[in-house]
Amino acid sequence: MLLATSVLAMMLSGQAVIPGALDVQPSQPPQAQAEPEPKAQDPQEQKPEAKEPPPPPHTGIHALFGDLVEDVKHLPAMQNLYLAAIGGGLAAAAHPADRTLNARLVSNYDTVNKAFAPGKYIGDTPEQVALSLGTYAFGRIFKQPKTSHLGMDLLQAQILTELLVQPIKFAAGRERPDGSNHQSFPSGHAAVTFATATVIERHLGWRKSLLGYTIASYVAASRLHDNRHYLSDVIFGAAVGSIAGRTVVHHASDYWALTPVRVPGGGVALMVTYRK
């Protein structure tokens, strides 16, 4: 956990350096060697386009829970309703393939089983909360406001995810594929890991969040392999986590907008726009 926390802190502290143009003195003799052109910066070293959310004035315990109340108030935002509709639609489309897909993914190979075994621990809420707390504590102890802000938002996203997932689980009452209980829909593991990935994306940009989304997808796949969830469970769980992550991290200068558009001749298309 300390290693993962340190990696997050180093990711936050990295900044691109753009070299300035070199001045040429007018009194320089013509025979003098011209100074070399400044080397163009590698695009891979440039800072991601996504702007970081402004750090709050305080990141203490009172700010943590005070902001959480505001986050709950922002849940009914139209953008979140669109994300919920998309997640619900995809889950409904995947529902007919639920049972057959799980039967195909069950493996008798030890190598495959060992490869998916860590998923149930990585996506478990206590482990995700511990990682968030470690990030938050690292920023507070070493006086790094951006790191503590990231940790605070991660914690808020985990709490908000649980506030969304648990009522839905008990309301749906869907039996798990292995028959262990009736809390299959939606997947909590998929929800918390996608919430974490979304918060990282909102703070650090999409390039640095690719690993987070890859891990979240791996966790979701592991729940199918372990026969603990159906495909529709993890799809809607990913949507719930994305909603929680985007609700927690506030951007004043950019946002995604999802707008339904009527298609001539019948039907509706979803237009996705991004404004900076």
Side-chain angles (χ1 to χ4, degrees), residues 38-63:
K39 184 179 179 181
Q41 187 180 11
D42 186 353
Q44 296 296 330
E45 298 177 358
Q46 294 180 359
K47 195 173 182 179
E49 294 82 357
K51 296 182 180 180
E52 298 176 358
H58 303 287
T59 57
I61 299 299
H62 292 291

Side-chain angles (χ1 to χ4, degrees), residues 177-198:
D178 61 1
S180 58
N181 58 42
H182 288 77
Q183 298 180 24
S184 185
F185 182 86
S187 168
H189 281 62
V192 295
T193 49
F194 270 90
T196 295
T198 302

Side-chain angles (χ1 to χ4, degrees), residues 106-123:
V106 174
S107 175
N108 295 321
Y109 295 98
D110 289 340
T111 302
V112 176
N113 294 333
K114 289 179 180 178
F116 280 108
K120 64 181 178 181
Y121 302 108
I122 296 174

Side-chain angles (χ1 to χ4, degrees), residues 41-252:
Q41 187 180 11
D42 186 353
Q44 296 296 330
E45 298 177 358
Q46 294 180 359
K47 195 173 182 179
E49 294 82 357
K51 296 182 180 180
E52 298 176 358
H58 303 287
T59 57
I61 299 299
H62 292 291
L64 170 65
F65 291 101
D67 289 350
L68 186 61
V69 174
E70 292 299 317
D71 293 335
V72 173
K73 294 179 181 179
H74 287 100
L75 271 177
M78 190 60 64
Q79 180 177 251
N80 290 343
L81 295 178
Y82 289 147
L83 287 174
I86 294 172
L90 293 175
H95 179 71
D98 278 345
R99 296 186 182 277
T100 56
L101 179 62
N102 275 37
R104 293 176 183 175
L105 290 177
V106 174
S107 175
N108 295 321
Y109 295 98
D110 289 340
T111 302
V112 176
N113 294 333
K114 289 179 180 178
F116 280 108
K120 64 181 178 181
Y121 302 108
I122 296 174
D124 202 16
T125 299
E127 281 78 1
Q128 288 290 314
V129 170
L131 174 62
S132 304
L133 280 172
T135 305
Y136 175 75
F138 187 97
R140 295 284 292 179
I141 293 172
F142 294 99
K143 301 186 184 304
Q144 297 184 8
K146 291 184 179 180
T147 305
S148 59
H149 183 201
L150 173 61
M152 186 174 74
D153 281 350
L154 287 171
L155 281 171
Q156 290 175 339
Q158 303 305 331
I159 296 172
L160 190 60
T161 300
E162 289 299 316
L163 290 176
L164 293 171
V165 167
Q166 294 307 320
I168 299 174
K169 278 182 176 290
F170 285 101
R174 187 182 194 186
E175 186 177 12
R176 291 185 185 272
D178 61 1
S180 58
N181 58 42
H182 288 77
Q183 298 180 24
S184 185
F185 182 86
S187 168
H189 281 62
V192 295
T193 49
F194 270 90
T196 295
T198 302
V199 170
I200 293 174
E201 183 271 327
R202 298 289 282 169
H203 272 263
L204 306 178
W206 65 269
R207 290 192 184 95
K208 293 181 180 179
S209 69
L210 290 178
L211 177 60
Y213 280 115
T214 301
I215 293 174
S217 300
Y218 159 76
V219 169
S222 74
R223 303 308 283 165
L224 302 178
H225 171 269
D226 294 347
N227 206 34
R228 293 288 289 173
H229 284 287
Y230 295 110
L231 179 60
S232 56
D233 298 338
V234 299
I235 289 176
F236 195 73
V240 171
S242 299
I243 289 172
R246 294 187 68 83
T247 302
V248 164
V249 185
H250 307 297
H251 280 271

